[in-house]
Amino acid sequence: MASLIDYDVYFPLKGHVSRLMPVTVTNYRENAKEYDRARCANKSKNQEVNQILECSRERESPTSAALSVYVTFDKNKRATFNSSSYTLALALADKCARFTPFPGKLVATGRLLAENRIGKIGHFQEKLQTIAQALAAKELHQGDVLIYPAENEQQASGEERQLLKQLRQQGLQLRAANNLEALSDLWSQRRQPEKRSTQHFALLSVVLLLATASVFFWPASAVKNTPPVVMPVITKASDCTSLPLDVARLQRCIEPDLLNPADFQVDYSYRQVKENYAQVYPLLDKAVLHVHDRFKIHLTSPQDAYVYLYLYDSHGELHDLMTLSKKSHAISRDQSITLPSAKTNFTLDDQTGTETLYFLASRVPETALQAQYQALKTARDQGRHEQVKQLQQPLLAYLQKHQQRYFLHQ
C-alpha cells in the first residue's frame, strides 16, 4: 500500500469569524491518471483544486507532477469560503507534501496566477489582524512563516506596514514573493552551511561572435506580460534573501550546491537563413551567425538537478532561457530537453554584436539566483533602469568571474 504523507498550510479567513483555516494535502506517493491526480473532500471545489495544482506543477518533472494527492479543508468536508486567496496555501501544501517539507508552520495568503505568479489579495489589513490574533493565542509561534504577495507589501497602507512590523518583532518570518519559484526553499532540503567549503562550483559559458546579427527576438508564445510588481522583500535569517545581492553574496549563496558542468551534455546547433534553414550546423566557439539565423540548445542531465541557462545579449540584457522556453529548471536523471522546443528555434534579429551564453547546474533550487533574476526582469519590464543596473551588474559579474570556460572574441 502506498505510504501517506500529510502537510498543512494555513490561510487567514476574513468574515464573521476571522481565523486561520488549514488546507491539508495528503501525498499517496504514487502516480495517477492525469484527470485524477488530485481529489478534494469538498466536492464543490474539486475542479478548482485540480486546476490550481495543474498550474503549480506545470514546471515540475513528469514524475513528481503525476503524484496523486487528496485535499481537505479544516478536516471538514463542508468547509466553504469564497475567496481565491487560499490558492497559494494549497500550492505550498501540495509541494511540501510531495517534497522535503518546511519543518515549521506555514501561513500563506495569495492568488496563484498563470505561470505561477502570485497575485495581490484584498482585505490585507484584516488578514494580518487575524494572524496577529493567532500569534497572541499561541496558534502560531516564533519561527513560523507568513507568505504573502509582494504587490501587497509594496502598496501597503500605514496600518498594514505597522502590522507587518509587529508580526516581525514577535518572531514571525515574513516572505513577500511575486512567484512560486521564489519560495522553493520551503519544500527543498535545507542547506548545511558546514559543508559549503567541500562542494564544487560549476559554470559553463559559450561566447558567440555574431558578425552581422546578435540580439534575439523570442517566439511570441514565449513572451508573457508580467504584473506591475517590484522587487520581493524577503525577511529571513540568511543573507541570501535580501535583494539586491552583490557578487560576494551570490558566490556564498550559489556555489556550494553547484555541480560540474562537464557532467552535462549541452549541445548548441544553428541553421542559416541563406540556406533556407535546411542544413543544421554545430554551434562552436567563435561561430559567426547572420540576421535571422536560428539556433537551439539540447541538454541531457546525468542526475536529478536544477539547470540554468542565461543569455547576455548585445543590448546588454540578461535573459533566462529556461523560463523563456517555458521549461522547468528541475530536470530528472537522463532527461533530455530542447530549448526553446523541438519544433521552434531562437531567431536572430537585426541587432549586431556579441552574445554570451552561461550554463549552471545545481543539486538544489538556486532561490537566490532566481529571486535576483526575477526582480531584474520585473524592473526591466517596468522601465526602472537604475534598479535594473543594481540587479544585473552583480549577476553578470558573478557569471563572468566564475565561468569555467571562456571563448575569446575575434
Side-chain angles (χ1 to χ4, degrees), residues 265-325:
Q265 182 179 342
V266 186
D267 298 316
Y268 304 83
S269 62
Y270 74 100
R271 298 171 182 265
Q272 294 183 333
V273 64
K274 67 180 182 181
E275 296 181 0
N276 198 25
Y277 313 119
Q279 183 67 38
V280 178
Y281 298 96
L283 191 51
L284 304 176
D285 307 348
K286 306 175 186 177
V288 177
L289 279 70
H290 301 86
V291 172
H292 303 317
D293 281 357
R294 301 175 179 178
F295 88 93
K296 63 177 56 183
I297 305 167
H298 189 77
L299 166 68
T300 302
S301 176
Q303 66 182 85
D304 292 345
Y306 294 82
V307 297
Y308 304 88
L309 272 158
Y310 292 95
L311 166 75
Y312 182 63
D313 66 17
S314 59
H315 283 292
E317 295 182 348
L318 195 65
H319 300 276
D320 178 353
L321 297 189
M322 297 292 291
T323 300
L324 284 170
S325 303

Side-chain angles (χ1 to χ4, degrees), residues 191 196 198-203 247-259 360-363 366 398 401-403:
R191 295 186 179 183
R196 284 177 178 264
T198 65
Q199 305 293 340
H200 297 90
F201 72 87
L203 182 62
V247 176
R249 284 197 293 156
L250 283 168
Q251 181 168 328
R252 289 198 302 271
C253 298
I254 298 173
E255 287 190 7
D257 298 303
L258 291 184
L259 300 168
L360 299 90
S362 174
R363 67 186 79 250
E366 292 296 348
Y398 174 79
K401 182 177 180 180
H402 294 282
Q403 60 190 14

Side-chain angles (χ1 to χ4, degrees), residues 54-74:
E54 181 181 358
C55 173
S56 66
R57 296 184 185 189
E58 64 181 0
R59 295 179 180 176
E60 292 183 16
S61 69
T63 301
S64 64
L67 288 174
S68 176
V69 297
Y70 188 70
V71 179
T72 58
F73 296 97
D74 204 22

Side-chain angles (χ1 to χ4, degrees), residues 131-152:
I131 294 164
Q133 292 167 7
L135 267 171
K138 306 300 183 183
E139 296 175 28
L140 296 175
H141 302 89
Q142 185 173 357
D144 291 339
V145 180
L146 168 63
I147 305 108
Y148 53 90
E151 191 173 0
N152 276 99

Side-chain angles (χ1 to χ4, degrees), residues 96-372:
C96 287
R98 293 179 300 112
F99 297 98
T100 304
F102 181 75
K105 184 176 287 187
L106 299 180
V107 180
T109 180
R111 296 181 300 115
L112 194 66
L113 307 176
E115 296 186 317
N116 285 338
R117 292 180 287 111
I118 299 174
K120 182 181 177 181
I121 58 166
H123 304 288
F124 189 45
Q125 181 175 335
E126 291 90 335
K127 292 174 181 178
L128 292 178
Q129 290 170 342
T130 298
I131 294 164
Q133 292 167 7
L135 267 171
K138 306 300 183 183
E139 296 175 28
L140 296 175
H141 302 89
Q142 185 173 357
D144 291 339
V145 180
L146 168 63
I147 305 108
Y148 53 90
E151 191 173 0
N152 276 99
E153 180 168 84
Q154 194 272 331
Q155 299 178 9
S157 65
E159 293 83 357
E160 290 166 346
R161 292 184 184 278
Q162 185 60 36
L163 280 167
L164 289 171
K165 181 179 179 181
Q166 174 186 331
L167 295 175
R168 185 180 292 112
Q169 290 173 339
Q170 291 176 336
L172 205 62
Q173 296 186 53
L174 306 187
R175 299 284 298 269
N178 55 18
N179 64 79
L180 193 60
E181 282 73 18
L183 303 169
S184 60
D185 61 297
L186 296 177
W187 62 84
S188 301
Q189 183 64 46
R190 292 329 217 221
R191 295 186 179 183
Q192 303 297 325
E194 63 273 13
K195 296 181 181 179
R196 284 177 178 264
S197 62
T198 65
Q199 305 293 340
H200 297 90
F201 72 87
L203 182 62
L204 171 67
S205 76
V206 182
V207 178
L208 310 176
L209 179 62
L210 310 182
T212 61
S214 64
V215 72
F216 296 83
F217 66 83
W218 313 105
S221 60
V223 180
K224 300 288 184 181
N225 294 326
T226 56
V229 297
V230 298
M231 291 188 297
V233 179
I234 306 171
T235 303
K236 194 179 177 185
S238 169
D239 68 349
C240 296
T241 55
S242 178
L243 302 182
L245 296 166
D246 57 23
V247 176
R249 284 197 293 156
L250 283 168
Q251 181 168 328
R252 289 198 302 271
C253 298
I254 298 173
E255 287 190 7
D257 298 303
L258 291 184
L259 300 168
N260 188 347
D263 295 336
F264 292 75
Q265 182 179 342
V266 186
D267 298 316
Y268 304 83
S269 62
Y270 74 100
R271 298 171 182 265
Q272 294 183 333
V273 64
K274 67 180 182 181
E275 296 181 0
N276 198 25
Y277 313 119
Q279 183 67 38
V280 178
Y281 298 96
L283 191 51
L284 304 176
D285 307 348
K286 306 175 186 177
V288 177
L289 279 70
H290 301 86
V291 172
H292 303 317
D293 281 357
R294 301 175 179 178
F295 88 93
K296 63 177 56 183
I297 305 167
H298 189 77
L299 166 68
T300 302
S301 176
Q303 66 182 85
D304 292 345
Y306 294 82
V307 297
Y308 304 88
L309 272 158
Y310 292 95
L311 166 75
Y312 182 63
D313 66 17
S314 59
H315 283 292
E317 295 182 348
L318 195 65
H319 300 276
D320 178 353
L321 297 189
M322 297 292 291
T323 300
L324 284 170
S325 303
K326 299 182 179 180
K327 296 289 194 298
S328 170
H329 290 286
I331 184 170
S332 302
R333 180 178 180 178
D334 297 327
Q335 180 184 354
S336 295
I337 59 173
T338 301
L339 307 181
S341 74
K343 295 182 179 181
T344 60
N345 300 271
F346 296 120
T347 305
L348 306 179
D349 69 6
D350 298 334
Q351 178 70 34
T352 62
T354 300
E355 309 285 343
T356 308
L357 289 163
Y358 300 98
F359 170 69
L360 299 90
S362 174
R363 67 186 79 250
V364 300
E366 292 296 348
T367 54
L369 184 69
Q370 290 177 282
Q372 181 118 337

Side-chain angles (χ1 to χ4, degrees), residues 36-90:
D36 195 30
R37 288 182 185 171
R39 290 186 297 121
C40 184
N42 185 341
K43 293 183 179 180
S44 67
K45 286 193 173 294
N46 197 64
Q47 182 177 357
E48 184 178 342
V49 163
N50 272 276
Q51 289 174 342
I52 294 302
L53 295 187
E54 181 181 358
C55 173
S56 66
R57 296 184 185 189
E58 64 181 0
R59 295 179 180 176
E60 292 183 16
S61 69
T63 301
S64 64
L67 288 174
S68 176
V69 297
Y70 188 70
V71 179
T72 58
F73 296 97
D74 204 22
K75 309 297 183 182
N76 181 355
K77 294 183 179 181
R78 297 185 178 86
T80 59
F81 45 90
N82 297 321
S83 172
S84 62
S85 61
Y86 81 92
T87 54
L88 175 59
L90 170 62

